[in-house]
Amino acid sequence: MFYYIEGAVALMEPNLAVLDCGGVGFELCVTNNTLAQLRVGERARLYVYSSIGEDRFDLYGFYTREEKHSFEMLIGVSGVGPKAALAILSTSTPDALALAVMSGNEKALTMAPGVGKRIAQRVILELKDKIGKESPGFSMENGVSVPAGGSAGSSEKLADAAAALGVLGYGNSEISAAFKGVNPEGLEVQDLVRLALKKMVR
Protein backbone atom coordinates (compact mmCIF):
# COMPACT_ATOMS: atom_id res chain seq x y z
CA MET A 1 0.00 0.00 0.00
CA PHE A 2 1.12 3.60 0.41
CA TYR A 3 4.48 4.21 2.14
CA TYR A 4 4.29 7.99 2.00
CA ILE A 5 2.30 10.66 0.18
CA GLU A 6 3.95 13.89 -0.91
CA GLY A 7 2.19 16.94 -2.23
CA ALA A 8 1.03 20.47 -1.52
CA VAL A 9 -0.98 20.97 1.65
CA ALA A 10 -4.41 21.99 0.35
CA LEU A 11 -6.42 21.98 3.58
CA MET A 12 -5.86 21.74 7.31
CA GLU A 13 -8.48 21.06 9.97
CA PRO A 14 -8.29 19.61 13.49
CA ASN A 15 -6.73 16.13 13.12
CA LEU A 16 -7.02 16.30 9.34
CA ALA A 17 -4.84 17.35 6.42
CA VAL A 18 -5.39 17.14 2.67
CA LEU A 19 -2.40 16.74 0.35
CA ASP A 20 -2.85 17.62 -3.33
CA CYS A 21 -0.88 15.17 -5.46
CA GLY A 22 -1.26 15.91 -9.16
CA GLY A 23 -4.81 17.15 -8.78
CA VAL A 24 -5.91 14.37 -6.43
CA GLY A 25 -6.60 15.36 -2.84
CA PHE A 26 -5.65 12.73 -0.26
CA GLU A 27 -7.43 13.15 3.08
CA LEU A 28 -5.28 12.01 5.99
CA CYS A 29 -6.06 11.79 9.69
CA VAL A 30 -3.13 13.36 11.56
CA THR A 31 -1.93 14.16 15.06
CA ASN A 32 -1.60 17.67 16.45
CA ASN A 33 2.17 17.27 16.35
CA THR A 34 2.12 16.48 12.62
CA LEU A 35 -0.38 19.25 11.94
CA ALA A 36 1.94 21.76 13.61
CA GLN A 37 4.63 20.95 11.01
CA LEU A 38 2.39 21.70 8.02
CA ARG A 39 1.57 24.92 6.19
CA VAL A 40 -1.20 25.38 3.63
CA GLY A 41 0.32 25.85 0.16
CA GLU A 42 3.66 24.27 1.09
CA ARG A 43 4.78 20.80 0.05
CA ALA A 44 4.96 18.07 2.65
CA ARG A 45 5.68 14.35 2.85
CA LEU A 46 3.64 12.27 5.25
CA TYR A 47 4.30 8.62 6.05
CA VAL A 48 1.07 6.69 5.70
CA TYR A 49 -0.78 3.97 7.54
CA SER A 50 -3.78 2.57 5.64
CA SER A 51 -6.82 1.12 7.39
CA ILE A 52 -9.16 -0.74 5.04
CA GLY A 53 -12.50 -2.27 5.97
CA GLU A 54 -15.75 -3.28 4.30
CA ASP A 55 -17.12 0.25 4.35
CA ARG A 56 -14.04 2.39 4.91
CA PHE A 57 -10.64 3.29 3.52
CA ASP A 58 -8.91 5.54 6.04
CA LEU A 59 -5.45 7.04 5.66
CA TYR A 60 -3.36 8.21 8.62
CA GLY A 61 -0.44 10.54 7.95
CA PHE A 62 2.65 11.14 10.08
CA TYR A 63 5.41 13.69 9.76
CA THR A 64 8.07 11.21 10.94
CA ARG A 65 8.54 7.46 10.66
CA GLU A 66 8.97 7.32 14.45
CA GLU A 67 5.47 8.74 14.92
CA LYS A 68 4.03 6.22 12.44
CA HIS A 69 5.77 3.35 14.21
CA SER A 70 4.43 4.54 17.57
CA PHE A 71 0.92 4.68 16.10
CA GLU A 72 1.22 1.11 14.80
CA MET A 73 2.38 -0.10 18.20
CA LEU A 74 -0.47 1.68 19.96
CA ILE A 75 -3.23 0.25 17.76
CA GLY A 76 -1.73 -3.17 18.40
CA VAL A 77 -2.68 -2.80 22.06
CA SER A 78 -6.02 -4.44 22.87
CA GLY A 79 -8.75 -1.85 23.27
CA VAL A 80 -6.78 0.96 21.60
CA GLY A 81 -8.19 2.07 18.27
CA PRO A 82 -6.89 4.64 15.76
CA LYS A 83 -8.79 7.49 17.44
CA ALA A 84 -7.23 6.82 20.84
CA ALA A 85 -3.79 6.32 19.28
CA LEU A 86 -4.04 9.68 17.50
CA ALA A 87 -5.15 11.32 20.75
CA ILE A 88 -2.16 9.90 22.64
CA LEU A 89 0.29 10.99 19.93
CA SER A 90 -1.33 14.43 19.84
CA THR A 91 -0.36 15.01 23.47
CA SER A 92 2.92 13.04 23.48
CA THR A 93 5.79 12.94 21.04
CA PRO A 94 7.11 9.46 20.16
CA ASP A 95 10.05 9.83 22.55
CA ALA A 96 7.75 11.11 25.34
CA LEU A 97 5.46 8.12 24.76
CA ALA A 98 8.42 5.75 24.93
CA LEU A 99 9.57 7.27 28.21
CA ALA A 100 6.03 7.10 29.62
CA VAL A 101 5.83 3.41 28.78
CA MET A 102 9.24 2.56 30.22
CA SER A 103 8.69 4.58 33.40
CA GLY A 104 5.08 3.45 33.88
CA ASN A 105 3.83 7.03 33.76
CA GLU A 106 0.05 6.62 33.46
CA LYS A 107 -0.58 10.33 33.96
CA ALA A 108 1.27 11.24 30.76
CA LEU A 109 -1.03 8.96 28.78
CA THR A 110 -4.30 9.96 30.44
CA MET A 111 -3.67 13.56 29.36
CA ALA A 112 -4.99 12.47 25.95
CA PRO A 113 -8.75 13.07 25.52
CA GLY A 114 -10.75 9.87 25.90
CA VAL A 115 -7.87 7.89 27.36
CA GLY A 116 -8.61 6.70 30.86
CA LYS A 117 -6.47 5.02 33.49
CA ARG A 118 -7.45 1.52 32.36
CA ILE A 119 -6.33 2.11 28.76
CA ALA A 120 -3.15 3.82 29.96
CA GLN A 121 -2.31 0.81 32.13
CA ARG A 122 -2.95 -1.54 29.21
CA VAL A 123 -0.69 0.48 26.91
CA ILE A 124 2.13 0.41 29.44
CA LEU A 125 1.71 -3.30 30.21
CA GLU A 126 1.43 -4.52 26.62
CA LEU A 127 4.07 -2.27 25.06
CA LYS A 128 6.58 -3.08 27.78
CA ASP A 129 5.84 -6.76 27.26
CA LYS A 130 6.11 -6.40 23.49
CA ILE A 131 9.45 -4.65 23.76
CA GLY A 132 10.70 -7.44 25.98
CA LYS A 133 9.66 -10.09 23.46
CA GLU A 134 10.97 -8.26 20.39
CA SER A 135 14.26 -7.19 21.93
CA PRO A 136 16.25 -9.96 23.63
CA GLY A 137 18.12 -7.38 25.65
CA PHE A 138 20.35 -4.41 25.05
CA SER A 139 24.03 -5.08 25.31
CA MET A 140 26.49 -2.52 26.60
CA GLU A 141 28.98 -3.68 24.03
CA ASN A 142 30.08 -2.14 20.75
CA GLY A 143 31.38 1.00 22.36
CA VAL A 144 28.47 1.51 24.73
CA SER A 145 29.78 1.28 28.24
CA VAL A 146 29.69 3.08 31.53
CA PRO A 147 32.90 5.10 32.01
CA ALA A 148 35.34 4.10 34.73
CA GLY A 149 33.93 5.08 38.08
CA GLY A 150 30.42 5.17 36.67
CA SER A 151 27.57 4.09 38.91
CA ALA A 152 25.15 1.23 38.57
CA GLY A 153 22.53 3.91 38.04
CA SER A 154 24.32 4.96 34.86
CA SER A 155 23.96 1.44 33.48
CA GLU A 156 20.27 1.45 34.37
CA LYS A 157 19.75 4.81 32.69
CA LEU A 158 21.43 3.61 29.50
CA ALA A 159 19.33 0.44 29.54
CA ASP A 160 16.11 2.42 30.10
CA ALA A 161 17.02 4.87 27.34
CA ALA A 162 17.81 1.96 25.00
CA ALA A 163 14.45 0.34 25.80
CA ALA A 164 12.68 3.63 25.10
CA LEU A 165 14.40 3.83 21.71
CA GLY A 166 13.22 0.27 21.10
CA VAL A 167 9.65 1.55 21.40
CA LEU A 168 10.45 3.90 18.54
CA GLY A 169 11.51 1.02 16.34
CA TYR A 170 15.30 1.26 16.52
CA GLY A 171 17.35 -1.92 16.60
CA ASN A 172 20.19 -2.78 18.98
CA SER A 173 22.89 -1.99 16.39
CA GLU A 174 21.47 1.49 15.77
CA ILE A 175 21.12 2.14 19.50
CA SER A 176 24.67 0.95 20.18
CA ALA A 177 26.03 3.26 17.49
CA ALA A 178 24.06 6.22 18.85
CA PHE A 179 25.32 5.68 22.40
CA LYS A 180 28.93 5.00 21.43
CA GLY A 181 31.23 7.22 23.49
CA VAL A 182 28.34 8.73 25.48
CA ASN A 183 28.96 9.40 29.16
CA PRO A 184 25.62 8.98 30.97
CA GLU A 185 26.86 10.53 34.22
CA GLY A 186 24.79 13.61 35.06
CA LEU A 187 22.21 12.89 32.34
CA GLU A 188 18.63 11.74 32.83
CA VAL A 189 17.00 9.02 30.72
CA GLN A 190 15.10 11.57 28.63
CA ASP A 191 18.35 13.44 27.96
CA LEU A 192 19.99 10.24 26.72
CA VAL A 193 17.02 9.50 24.45
CA ARG A 194 17.09 12.98 22.92
CA LEU A 195 20.86 12.80 22.47
CA ALA A 196 20.56 9.45 20.67
CA LEU A 197 17.73 10.69 18.45
CA LYS A 198 19.84 13.66 17.33
CA LYS A 199 22.57 11.24 16.26
CA MET A 200 20.10 8.99 14.48
CA VAL A 201 18.68 11.58 12.11
CA ARG A 202 17.15 9.74 9.19
Side-chain angles (χ1 to χ4, degrees):
M1 196 48 69
F2 301 111
Y3 182 69
Y4 66 78
I5 295 177
E6 183 173 344
V9 180
L11 177 68
M12 291 170 56
E13 293 181 357
N15 295 122
L16 183 136
V18 176
L19 295 188
D20 185 328
C21 306
V24 178
F26 288 90
E27 179 182 280
L28 300 106
C29 301
V30 297
T31 67
N32 290 341
N33 291 323
T34 285
L35 206 61
Q37 303 297 323
L38 307 179
R39 300 290 182 274
V40 172
E42 295 184 3
R43 291 187 66 81
R45 171 184 291 182
L46 296 183
Y47 297 95
V48 176
Y49 175 85
S50 306
S51 180
I52 304 173
E54 290 184 5
D55 57 351
R56 75 180 195 286
F57 184 0
D58 298 323
L59 297 177
Y60 298 85
F62 306 93
Y63 196 71
T64 65
R65 281 178 285 187
E66 288 79 14
E67 189 177 46
K68 178 188 174 185
H69 181 77
S70 296
F71 175 83
E72 291 172 332
M73 292 193 75
L74 282 168
I75 61 175
V77 174
S78 57
V80 178
K83 185 176 179 180
L86 282 182
I88 291 172
L89 289 172
S90 286
T91 55
S92 294
T93 59
D95 55 315
L97 170 64
L99 289 171
V101 169
M102 298 314 301
S103 63
N105 188 351
E106 297 174 13
K107 188 176 180 180
L109 299 177
T110 55
M111 288 175 63
V115 177
K117 186 174 181 179
R118 186 170 297 179
I119 290 180
Q121 290 174 336
R122 196 174 297 149
V123 167
I124 291 170
L125 177 65
E126 293 192 24
L127 289 192
K128 263 190 175 181
D129 185 56
K130 185 173 183 178
I131 294 164
K133 289 179 180 177
E134 289 185 351
S135 187
F138 179 72
S139 172
M140 293 297 175
E141 299 175 354
N142 300 321
V144 182
S145 60
V146 179
S151 65
S154 294
S155 296
E156 292 175 4
K157 285 189 290 186
L158 273 175
D160 287 346
L165 290 167
V167 176
L168 301 180
Y170 292 101
N172 280 356
S173 59
E174 292 175 292
I175 296 170
S176 292
F179 283 148
K180 186 174 182 179
V182 172
N183 183 347
E185 290 294 329
L187 297 176
E188 297 300 324
V189 174
Q190 58 265 33
D191 299 322
L192 290 168
V193 171
R194 294 189 185 102
L195 183 62
L197 287 173
K198 285 182 181 179
K199 296 176 69 174
M200 292 191 288
V201 176
R202 295 182 176 184

